[in-house]
Amino acid sequence: QLIVACANELFFINPTTGEIMEKKRQHQAPIYCVRCSPDGIFFASSSADGFVVISRCVNNDGITRYGFPVSMKLLSWCPTKQMLISCSPKEFQVWHPDDMRVSRYKVEQNILASSFSPSGLTFLLSYENGEVLIYDSLNIPNVLQSYKFTFPLTSVSYAMIDNVECIVTTDLERHVSLFRTSDKALVGKNSLTFEALSSILIDGFFL
């Protein structure tokens, strides 16, 4: 099924026919993000109401929710295990289905982006001060690597390119850059004619 957020409602759509199979209202304010777990068992939604709702895909019913007095925007699922990272401005949260309680970690800077590595062993958080920290997903909040940029990034994410793990960034200076994670080396940088707000790797091409 295809899950679409519209205002504070979720629409569950048959991707073949376009038919709306179900509609649910699980938030009291506009929904910012919807993410499905890679195995298709769970999906999570975050909202301006400050709540994250985690649901089972088999029946679209919520199984748990947690919230804060500020809006929740960022959601990232681990690609290799059941683990969800959610982010509010100065805190990130970790949820596992085997422990319904969410773990909270305070940070000093506003979080702008989050992404898991393809192996699921690490995840990154990009901060408002231009810093990117690489965390050990098995020993949170242990930091394994750090990158420092002179200005905030507009997007940052992991990508596998020719079997090499890389980090892709876009910035306010209209550049897209590629860093090899093994040694933090800059292996590619191109100028853009616009300010990129996000990027994705599809079949070896950046969009």
Side-chain angles (χ1 to χ4, degrees), residues 166 177-180 183-189:
C166 299
S177 304
L178 187 66
F179 297 88
R180 189 170 51 226
D183 57 4
K184 299 172 58 175
L186 176 65
V187 295
K189 186 173 183 178

Side-chain angles (χ1 to χ4, degrees), residues 152-156 169-176 192-199 207:
L153 302 175
T154 54
S155 73
V156 56
T169 68
T170 60
D171 58 49
L172 292 173
E173 297 295 312
R174 298 183 176 184
H175 294 120
V176 56
L192 303 171
T193 58
F194 55 90
E195 183 180 308
L197 299 179
S198 63
S199 64
L207 177 63

Side-chain angles (χ1 to χ4, degrees), residues 9-205:
E9 293 184 315
L10 292 174
F11 292 84
F12 302 89
I13 300 172
N14 184 317
T16 302
T17 65
E19 175 189 2
I20 298 176
M21 302 180 293
E22 191 176 5
K23 180 174 69 173
K24 289 198 172 188
R25 179 175 294 178
Q26 295 181 329
H27 292 278
Q28 302 304 314
I31 297 169
Y32 286 133
C33 185
V34 180
R35 292 286 184 269
C36 293
S37 62
D39 57 11
I41 295 178
F42 300 104
F43 70 87
S45 56
S46 62
S47 167
D49 63 10
F51 282 94
V52 171
V53 178
I54 300 172
S55 308
R56 293 190 185 276
C57 292
V58 66
N59 54 15
N60 301 325
D61 287 342
I63 60 170
T64 189
R65 61 187 282 147
Y66 56 89
F68 307 90
V70 294
S71 61
M72 302 285 285
K73 293 187 177 182
L74 303 173
L75 298 171
S76 297
W77 284 99
C78 178
T80 57
K81 59 185 175 182
Q82 290 294 357
M83 178 179 178
L84 175 71
I85 299 290
S86 56
C87 302
S88 52
K90 290 189 177 181
E91 181 177 292
F92 69 93
Q93 306 85 32
V94 181
W95 178 83
H96 301 270
D98 54 353
D99 184 358
M100 300 303 283
R101 297 171 299 177
V102 65
S103 301
R104 304 181 180 185
Y105 300 90
K106 297 287 186 182
V107 295
E108 296 182 357
Q109 297 287 329
N110 287 337
I111 303 171
L112 301 182
S114 64
S115 178
F116 268 98
S117 65
S119 67
L121 295 177
T122 62
F123 66 91
L124 63 79
L125 296 178
S126 172
Y127 293 95
E128 193 174 43
N129 64 350
E131 191 172 33
V132 175
L133 299 182
I134 310 299
Y135 292 87
D136 182 352
S137 67
L138 301 177
N139 187 22
I140 302 171
N142 184 38
V143 175
L144 301 176
Q145 281 184 325
S146 65
Y147 296 76
K148 183 64 178 179
F149 298 87
T150 56
F151 33 75
L153 302 175
T154 54
S155 73
V156 56
S157 60
Y158 279 97
M160 287 295 290
I161 302 174
D162 296 329
N163 294 320
V164 176
E165 185 179 271
C166 299
I167 290 176
V168 183
T169 68
T170 60
D171 58 49
L172 292 173
E173 297 295 312
R174 298 183 176 184
H175 294 120
V176 56
S177 304
L178 187 66
F179 297 88
R180 189 170 51 226
T181 59
S182 61
D183 57 4
K184 299 172 58 175
L186 176 65
V187 295
K189 186 173 183 178
N190 288 313
S191 297
L192 303 171
T193 58
F194 55 90
E195 183 180 308
L197 299 179
S198 63
S199 64
I200 188 172
L201 181 67
I202 302 177
D203 294 332
F205 292 93

